[in-house]
Amino acid sequence: VAWNYRKVGAQVVAKEIALQLTRFLDPSNGPESLMYGYPVRVVNGKGYVEVKRSDVDKGVAANRVLQEVRERLGQVDFVLCIGDDRSDEDMFQVVNDMAKREGLESIVEDIPMPEMSPK
């Protein structure tokens, strides 16, 4: 479940609400947390708050896809992995680890996104 506030006009207010929501939901904050005892984690990213299962992330998904591709087609010789947020870091780690294990080149670029003008 995610709350996306990227396009909210009052960003200062939205960010404060996002922090409060994260504190309220995050099970690591103890028994006062709404999600205490559930196998979830709360992620506060660029313009969103997300509650997701603690045992699944983009890295787990990327690993499964790469395993299936290897089983069906053999060695993977090229992977394009693109992301723009902390939630993509697990995926990058899986791809980089695979590249190291298999002796492939891994190129990581940090390219700032251009500002989008409102329509």
Side-chain angles (χ1 to χ4, degrees), residues 12 14 21 25-26 30 32 37 42 44 46-47 50 67 73 76-77 83-84 86 90-91 97 100 105 108 113 117 119:
V12 173
L21 182 61
L25 295 173
D26 194 346
E32 277 72 48
V42 180
N44 192 338
K46 278 193 272 182
E50 181 179 14
Q67 283 179 349
L73 303 174
V76 175
D77 59 355
D84 69 345
R86 164 60 196 109
D90 299 317
M91 175 178 60
D97 289 348
K100 285 178 190 172
E105 182 178 6
V108 177
M113 291 183 59
S117 60
K119 292 183 179 184

Side-chain angles (χ1 to χ4, degrees), residues 44-106:
N44 192 338
K46 278 193 272 182
Y48 69 90
V49 176
E50 181 179 14
V51 178
K52 58 186 183 177
R53 288 177 39 171
S54 55
D55 61 336
V56 177
D57 57 37
K58 290 180 184 179
V60 171
N63 194 44
R64 283 187 191 159
V65 168
L66 290 169
Q67 283 179 349
E68 190 166 323
V69 167
R70 277 191 290 249
E71 289 169 8
R72 291 182 182 198
L73 303 174
Q75 183 173 349
V76 175
D77 59 355
F78 176 81
V79 175
L80 176 61
C81 186
I82 299 174
D84 69 345
D85 197 275
R86 164 60 196 109
S87 66
D88 300 313
E89 294 295 326
D90 299 317
M91 175 178 60
F92 296 147
Q93 188 64 51
V94 165
V95 171
N96 285 330
D97 289 348
M98 182 204 77
K100 285 178 190 172
R101 258 192 334 271
E102 298 184 15
L104 301 172
E105 182 178 6
S106 177

